[in-house]
Amino acid sequence: MAYEKLYNEIYAIVALKYLWRGYRPGYVKNESPDWLNPDQSVGIEVSQALLPYDGQDSSFLEVWLGRLSEEIPADAKERYAGRLYFYNDRLWALLPDPRDTRSWQEKAHYRFCRKHEKLNKNFAVCKTNALYLYAHATPEKTDDVRRLMAEMANSQQGNGVEFDLVFLDCESCIYILDFRSGGIAEMPVGEQAKKFLEQQAERIRNAEDPEDNFEF
């Protein structure tokens, strides 16, 4: 499910603010990466483990996600009928294509590789380069996460600047993949905690001007 980009970015930094022991104040809204803490030299990019079913899905998301319902052409609405989710009259999410049978690990690894390419092309490189990745899935066991981490490590090893951390958001738990130590830590997110984080993210998203320089 593809959510509105700015909300995703705000939710990610709010979740880290309250749950990550390594969090330090001083993050400002940025582009490439999405959050930057100049004092700590930490950059955090936010993305989703999505692999669009086809090129048209990708183009549609790029243009219309987060836009008002009235701005979206009728033919586009018809094409994606049943998959469009609106919140406050904005396109908030594109539901999964029922034809897509690829695993969440495949999608997560694909998105990781694409972001790693961008890290080496147009990102502000920091001492700690991190990726917050929405998995849109709940792993059955930690071994699934370990295998994914091994694939990610292999794909970026020896290929320029590497991600040091990946925050893998798996709904009820956020896994911290530390490529420097090779370890995996877990940040459980209970039902009430998730509701609190969502409320905080929505409040900030709706109260602030998207052009403002958010600070956390």
Side-chain angles (χ1 to χ4, degrees):
M1 183 185 296
Y3 289 97
E4 194 262 340
K5 185 175 185 294
L6 183 58
Y7 170 84
N8 267 0
E9 294 168 356
I10 293 173
Y11 178 93
I13 200 67
V14 168
L16 294 179
K17 175 181 178 179
Y18 286 102
L19 301 176
W20 181 34
R21 291 183 178 180
Y23 178 87
R24 298 292 182 274
Y27 285 91
V28 294
K29 190 69 185 71
N30 190 61
E31 288 297 332
S32 302
D34 295 308
W35 294 103
L36 192 63
N37 189 323
D39 292 338
Q40 302 296 319
S41 189
V42 179
I44 303 174
E45 175 72 359
V46 180
S47 189
Q48 302 181 72
L50 297 175
L51 205 171
Y53 190 79
D54 57 33
Q56 290 181 320
D57 272 21
S58 183
S59 298
F60 178 81
L61 291 172
E62 186 71 24
V63 175
W64 302 113
L65 203 59
R67 301 286 288 276
L68 291 170
S69 175
E70 63 187 29
E71 297 177 314
I72 302 174
D75 59 341
K77 289 181 179 178
E78 183 177 353
R79 170 178 169 78
Y80 294 99
R83 295 181 59 197
L84 303 179
Y85 177 77
F86 291 90
Y87 180 80
N88 286 342
D89 208 35
R90 289 185 182 275
L91 181 58
W92 197 254
L94 180 65
L95 303 177
D97 192 313
R99 299 170 294 173
D100 193 349
T101 59
R102 290 168 293 192
S103 71
W104 71 268
Q105 293 100 320
E106 289 179 90
K107 296 174 183 178
H109 187 230
Y110 171 85
R111 187 55 56 197
F112 174 84
C113 291
R114 301 291 77 76
K115 289 299 181 179
H116 180 247
E117 291 175 1
K118 291 187 176 182
L119 173 64
N120 281 274
K121 289 182 179 178
N122 60 351
F123 275 30
V125 176
C126 302
K127 289 182 179 178
T128 299
N129 302 291
L131 174 64
Y132 190 104
L133 188 60
Y134 291 91
H136 299 301
T138 302
E140 294 183 4
K141 47 188 179 296
T142 307
D143 285 348
D144 294 336
V145 178
R146 290 194 179 281
R147 281 192 289 269
L148 174 60
M149 182 179 180
E151 292 177 359
M152 289 176 170
N154 289 336
S155 66
Q156 72 171 350
Q157 190 172 18
N159 291 319
V161 181
E162 300 180 1
F163 279 115
D164 303 292
L165 298 172
V166 168
F167 301 98
L168 189 66
D169 189 321
C170 295
E171 302 293 342
S172 61
C173 181
I174 301 173
Y175 293 91
I176 305 176
L177 313 184
D178 190 332
F179 293 96
R180 295 168 297 194
S181 69
I184 297 177
E186 299 180 25
M187 299 189 295
V189 185
E191 186 177 335
Q192 291 303 312
K194 186 170 182 62
K195 186 178 296 184
F196 169 77
L197 296 176
E198 290 173 343
Q199 290 173 344
Q200 292 296 309
E202 287 187 22
R203 178 184 60 79
I204 296 169
R205 170 64 181 89
N206 295 330
E208 300 286 352
D209 184 329
E211 299 303 320
D212 284 351
N213 189 22
F214 300 96
E215 293 186 23
F216 287 86

